Short mmCIF file of all heavy atoms in Angstrom, two decimals:
data_model
loop_
_atom_site.label_atom_id
_atom_site.label_comp_id
_atom_site.label_asym_id
_atom_site.label_seq_id
_atom_site.Cartn_x
_atom_site.Cartn_y
_atom_site.Cartn_z
N ARG A 144 14.72 -35.08 23.60
CA ARG A 144 13.28 -35.34 23.54
C ARG A 144 12.84 -36.20 24.71
O ARG A 144 13.11 -37.39 24.76
CB ARG A 144 12.95 -36.05 22.21
CG ARG A 144 13.30 -35.18 21.02
CD ARG A 144 12.92 -35.79 19.69
NE ARG A 144 12.94 -34.75 18.67
CZ ARG A 144 12.59 -34.92 17.41
NH1 ARG A 144 12.19 -36.10 17.00
NH2 ARG A 144 12.63 -33.92 16.57
N ARG A 159 19.39 -37.40 20.87
CA ARG A 159 19.60 -37.72 19.46
C ARG A 159 20.69 -36.80 18.92
O ARG A 159 20.55 -35.57 19.00
CB ARG A 159 18.29 -37.48 18.72
CG ARG A 159 18.43 -37.40 17.22
CD ARG A 159 17.09 -37.05 16.57
NE ARG A 159 17.26 -36.83 15.15
CZ ARG A 159 16.33 -36.32 14.36
NH1 ARG A 159 15.14 -36.00 14.86
NH2 ARG A 159 16.56 -36.15 13.07
N ASP A 274 15.74 -40.08 15.10
CA ASP A 274 14.55 -39.58 14.41
C ASP A 274 13.43 -40.63 14.51
O ASP A 274 12.30 -40.32 14.88
CB ASP A 274 14.90 -39.30 12.94
CG ASP A 274 13.70 -38.81 12.16
OD1 ASP A 274 13.00 -37.92 12.67
OD2 ASP A 274 13.46 -39.33 11.05
N ASP A 278 9.88 -40.88 17.41
CA ASP A 278 8.47 -40.89 16.98
C ASP A 278 7.75 -42.08 17.61
O ASP A 278 6.61 -41.96 18.07
CB ASP A 278 8.36 -40.98 15.44
CG ASP A 278 8.33 -39.60 14.78
OD1 ASP A 278 8.69 -38.62 15.46
OD2 ASP A 278 7.95 -39.52 13.59
MG1 MG B 402 11.24 -37.01 13.02
#
Side-chain angles (χ1 to χ4, degrees):
R144 299 183 164 184
R159 164 185 174 190
D274 179 47
D278 270 16

